[in-house]
Amino acid sequence: MKRQQLRAAGRMVLALAQVTCAVALAGPGIDWPEVPLPSSSAGELVTGHMKNNGVDMRASQFATTQPLADVIEFYKRKWPDHVVNQMGGKTVIGHAEGDFMTTISLVSAGGATEGIIGTSKLPREKIEYVMGDGFDKPPGTEVFNDIIYYDTADKSRTLGMTNTLSPFQNYQYYAQRMRGQGWKLQKSRPCSMVSRSCVAMFEKDDGEKIALTLQRQQAATTQIVVNIE
């Protein structure tokens, strides 16, 4: 297994922990492999089929009363061909088999263990995918995450972006640009030139909605999370 592939997949799994999704049925068309769970586990599906930065993926989560060390040993026994890394304060176990890569992000929780499971379908050819395609962005904005959920009725989408503009400058940019594209500003958290965080919600007459969360980071950059429904 290439370590860069594991790191990329691990970042996908860690990002899932920051995204709230409804539990849904598995997406059609892909025969996803079964992922074993330790004994005394309770689990649920997070998303049955999504496209994460151009890669087909599904995700679930579980909790077990077993301690972290025992859970790590469980997967080492199940998957002799595996890689273990520490990422973002979590233990990430990676395993590739056939056309799929599975990564499990584990964290200790009061003597028990919680896990986020991500299974990716490895592309056979180079992916021609433009991150953030079709969504307006201020100049100099970098898109670091682009997720489309196929198991929601409207194919909801989440974008993660960053730029060097302040939250207020980003807020002004989108308030002006989206008004010209037929969006109406529904409600927002008060945003001023000194605000470190701002929220804006837009809606069209057909019911389509966009929520933007703007958060100033320590490195004089602003992180933008966009939820499109």
Side-chain angles (χ1 to χ4, degrees):
M1 179 190 304
K2 295 181 179 179
R3 289 190 175 269
Q4 57 266 38
Q5 288 181 313
L6 173 60
R7 293 191 186 98
R11 286 192 294 269
M12 291 180 188
V13 175
L14 293 178
L16 289 171
Q18 303 173 3
V19 178
T20 302
C21 309
V23 176
L25 297 176
I30 298 178
D31 188 15
W32 299 100
E34 293 293 329
V35 178
L37 294 180
S39 61
S40 304
S41 293
E44 62 181 0
L45 195 63
V46 175
T47 177
H49 185 194
M50 69 182 192
K51 195 173 285 289
N52 190 322
N53 302 338
V55 176
D56 288 299
M57 188 176 179
R58 74 180 311 201
S60 58
Q61 59 188 9
F62 71 94
T64 175
T65 57
Q66 293 190 30
L68 177 60
D70 289 356
V71 176
I72 293 173
E73 287 303 315
F74 170 81
Y75 284 107
K76 285 182 177 180
R77 291 193 302 270
K78 287 289 185 180
W79 296 332
D81 180 17
H82 68 272
V83 175
V84 179
N85 276 296
Q86 298 297 317
M87 299 180 66
K90 302 178 186 296
T91 300
V92 178
I93 302 176
H95 168 70
E97 186 172 347
D99 291 336
F100 298 92
M101 175 183 290
T102 298
T103 54
I104 304 179
S105 172
L106 300 170
V107 62
S108 181
T113 305
E114 296 177 350
I116 301 288
I117 302 172
T119 301
S120 306
K121 190 175 189 302
L122 299 173
R124 294 173 180 259
E125 300 176 353
K126 182 180 178 181
I127 298 175
E128 299 294 340
Y129 189 77
V130 179
M131 302 271 283
D133 188 37
F135 189 77
D136 200 357
K137 299 171 285 294
T141 297
E142 176 187 354
V143 181
F144 62 85
N145 222 8
D146 189 345
I147 305 173
I148 300 173
Y149 301 96
Y150 288 101
D151 49 8
T152 59
D154 50 8
K155 281 190 184 179
S156 58
R157 184 182 187 188
T158 297
L159 297 174
M161 308 186 296
T162 186
N163 62 33
T164 57
L165 300 178
S166 69
F168 178 74
Q169 288 172 317
N170 278 290
Y171 180 94
Q172 291 292 100
Y173 175 89
Y174 281 108
Q176 295 173 12
R177 296 293 282 258
M178 297 186 73
R179 187 182 301 116
Q181 297 171 14
W183 293 91
K184 297 177 182 178
L185 182 62
Q186 296 298 310
K187 55 183 177 180
S188 64
R189 183 184 302 168
C191 190
S192 69
M193 295 182 67
V194 296
S195 295
R196 295 195 61 82
S197 64
C198 300
V199 176
M201 313 236 350
F202 299 89
E203 188 170 353
K204 277 188 173 180
D205 291 338
D206 62 3
E208 189 176 359
K209 299 177 182 179
I210 291 180
L212 288 97
T213 302
L214 312 165
Q215 182 69 48
R216 195 63 166 172
Q217 306 296 297
Q218 292 183 350
T221 61
T222 295
Q223 181 171 290
I224 307 165
V225 177
V226 184
N227 290 303
I228 305 170
E229 298 179 0

